[in-house]
Amino acid sequence: MVQHIGRSANRFELKYLVPHDRVDSVVRDLEAYVHTDPNADDEQGYRVRSVYWDSDAWIFFWEKIEGLKQRRKLRVRVYPGADYGFVEIKARADRTLQKRRTNLPLEEIHARFRGLPEETDAIDPPADPVVSEAMYLRQRYLLRPRMAISYWRRAFYGNYEPDLRITFDRRIQYHPREVDIARPFESGPYVVDPRLVVMEIKFNERAPLWLCKLASRHGLQIIRLSKYCTAVDRAYFGNRLT
């Protein structure tokens, strides 16, 4: 069972596209500096399934597309085999990313986030501040589930930099209609070419020098990529905006 603990962190992140057949080479170069996420079942990693919430006018999508320095996203995330999931609010202030998250039993997630707002009004107000903020955003902007995204993740933590996390996400797929968190979709169109893997580096203050040198040695170029916004663009805007 995958278990992830955490509530809030101010972070920076860098993203790269790595050809699938070069990932193992990059990982071999990382081995002296990182260790595998202990929550992963094996070296292939684990499945990540998320449902993103937005308004009918795509308010969160357009905040990203228009480059607003203050913006946020709401999503619900589950991991196969776990009896709980996460409510997450990702907020960006200029270059700094803050992710507020809390874990809830799947039964409570289904009760609070599957139905329409008026269907959940009778549920007791949440005590958790993250859930409370999520429910406020839902009511304020009339949010509903708009996009589901699924992928396989291989994750590592820094041996010497406890704030460092490196992930490799492959087979990133989306579905604009199968958005019930209780019934994850099995297959959908790809967000990026399946021959490519998204490598993400997350850190608190600065990326370590050894990692910058490793990226340069492998010819990796920083990209700007939002899985959610790319999926929405492909599904609804003809892939013209991302």
Side-chain angles (χ1 to χ4, degrees), residues 151-193:
Y151 51 89
W152 285 91
R153 165 163 285 182
R154 192 175 178 185
F156 302 88
Y157 289 100
N159 290 337
Y160 311 108
E161 300 89 1
D163 62 296
L164 177 65
R165 180 168 166 83
I166 302 172
T167 58
F168 295 86
D169 297 340
R170 68 185 188 279
R171 298 186 62 81
I172 307 169
Q173 297 173 284
Y174 68 91
H175 207 297
R177 293 179 300 279
E178 299 294 331
V179 292
D180 187 340
I181 197 66
R183 295 194 296 271
F185 72 93
E186 292 301 324
S187 183
Y190 287 101
V191 174
V192 299
D193 189 319

Side-chain angles (χ1 to χ4, degrees), residues 31-45:
E31 286 177 345
Y33 304 96
V34 302
H35 58 274
T36 301
D37 184 341
N39 296 303
D41 294 332
D42 54 44
E43 66 178 14
Q44 296 305 310

Side-chain angles (χ1 to χ4, degrees), residues 19-32:
H20 189 278
D21 58 5
R22 290 174 53 193
V23 169
D24 286 344
S25 176
V26 175
V27 170
R28 281 195 297 270
D29 276 3
L30 286 171
E31 286 177 345

Side-chain angles (χ1 to χ4, degrees), residues 115-127:
L116 298 172
E118 58 269 20
E119 295 172 339
T120 59
D121 284 345
I123 301 175
D124 292 339

